[in-house]
């Protein structure tokens, strides 16, 4: 699912901008069809026809059908690892990741999990065992990539454990807000609690990581 946030594509070459636009159009049309009919009842051929491209073109952008829905996995990996690798002077990895999480919330970015448009998307995932499995796989991929980035900092004796704790904490906050939105609450009513729980989660992470797992 694509959803516009801050547009960082303006500086990209024209060819790359066109490729991104095509990828987003395919994803948007696929998500619309999945919301209307369910993931398991829509074929890639139907999506290709709706987007006026070939099925091969769809697979060139999305190697697996599940990736048409969970197309933010690579972006999640990039954002989390970049927060660690490009953090400011004197900024700890946890402080940088905390800042990223709050920025995503402020933007109502899909990775924040807080927006009134998201429940329909989540219902598609909930209703499909294939999508749920791919989501779990994606979370594991984020965890492994984050562990690699944390290892590079040489600040943690066990970067894999630290990465697992970070991902679990973020996922817990995300899922709690998602459940409230699925139950009918509005994003504006959830956002404040979401921010507070992010703060509490990162406070707990800092207490847990510093004495036991630091370098």
């Amino acid at each position: 699912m694509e959803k516009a946030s801050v547009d960082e594509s303006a500086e990209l070459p024209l060819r790359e901008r066109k490729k991104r636009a095509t990828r987003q159009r395919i994803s948007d049309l696929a998500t619309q069809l999945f919301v209307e009919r369910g993931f398991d009842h829509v074929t890639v051929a139907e999506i290709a026809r709706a987007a006026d491209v070939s099925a091969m073109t769809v697979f060139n952008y999305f190697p697996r059908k599940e990736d048409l829905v969970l197309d933010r996995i690579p972006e999640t990996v990039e954002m989390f690892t970049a927060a660690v690798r490009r953090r400011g002077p004197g900024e700890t990895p946890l402080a940088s990741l905390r800042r990223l999480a709050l920025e995503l919330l402020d933007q109502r970015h899909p990775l924040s999990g807080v927006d009134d448009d998201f429940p329909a998307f989540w219902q598609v995932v909930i209703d499909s065992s294939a999508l749920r499995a791919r989501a779990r796989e994606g979370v594991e991929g984020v965890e492994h990539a984050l562990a690699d980035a944390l290892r590079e900092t040489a600040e943690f004796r066990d970067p894999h454990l630290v990465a697992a704790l970070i991902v679990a904490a973020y996922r817990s906050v995300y899922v709690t807000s998602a459940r409230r939105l699925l139950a009918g609450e509005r994003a504006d009513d959830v956002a404040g609690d979401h921010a507070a729980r992010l703060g509490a989660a990162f406070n707990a992470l800092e207490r847990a990581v510093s004495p036991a797992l630091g370098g």
Side-chain angles (χ1 to χ4, degrees):
M1 178 185 70
E2 295 281 357
K3 182 179 176 66
S5 55
V6 177
D7 186 1
E8 299 176 349
S9 65
E11 298 179 0
L12 294 172
L14 178 61
R15 178 180 175 83
E16 182 62 25
R17 293 203 303 272
K18 287 184 176 180
K19 288 173 63 176
R20 290 196 177 194
T22 299
R23 185 180 190 277
Q24 178 167 341
R25 181 166 57 86
I26 293 170
S27 177
D28 287 345
L29 288 168
T31 299
Q32 180 180 340
L33 290 171
F34 294 146
V35 168
E36 292 172 355
R37 295 164 49 196
F39 178 79
D40 297 327
H41 301 293
V42 178
T43 67
V44 172
E46 290 176 292
I47 295 165
R49 286 196 296 272
D52 196 24
V53 298
S54 68
M56 182 171 291
T57 296
V58 174
F59 282 118
N60 284 340
Y61 286 102
F62 304 94
R64 296 159 64 170
K65 181 184 174 185
E66 291 81 3
D67 293 336
L68 283 157
V69 180
L70 300 170
D71 58 322
R72 293 280 181 174
I73 292 173
E75 182 181 2
T76 307
V77 170
E78 170 59 24
M79 282 189 168
F80 275 63
T81 57
V84 173
R85 290 176 172 137
R86 302 173 192 169
R87 66 192 186 281
E91 187 176 36
T92 68
L94 283 177
S96 181
L97 288 164
R98 181 199 293 258
R99 177 167 52 80
L100 170 65
L102 292 172
E103 288 174 354
L104 293 174
L105 175 61
D106 288 342
Q107 296 171 6
R108 292 295 196 271
H109 191 284
L111 299 182
S112 75
V114 181
D115 192 280
D116 292 324
D117 293 337
F118 296 163
F121 163 77
W122 290 323
Q123 196 62 54
V124 171
V125 177
I126 291 168
D127 291 342
S128 169
S129 59
L131 285 173
R132 295 197 304 274
R134 179 68 180 111
R136 289 191 294 270
E137 184 181 318
V139 170
E140 291 175 359
V142 172
E143 184 178 310
H144 288 305
L146 182 58
D148 289 340
L150 292 173
R151 183 182 300 105
E152 295 169 9
T153 70
E155 293 191 20
F156 306 104
R157 287 197 297 268
D158 192 339
H160 279 286
L161 178 55
V162 175
L165 290 171
I166 292 168
V167 171
Y170 191 87
R171 180 184 178 277
S172 177
V173 175
Y174 183 106
V175 169
T176 298
S177 292
R179 285 173 175 162
R180 290 178 61 181
L181 292 170
L182 281 164
E185 293 190 58
R186 305 296 295 177
D188 287 345
D189 297 326
V190 172
D193 286 342
H194 187 94
R197 281 184 284 108
L198 281 175
F202 277 98
N203 288 342
L205 285 168
E206 288 172 355
R207 289 193 299 271
V209 167
S210 181
L213 305 174

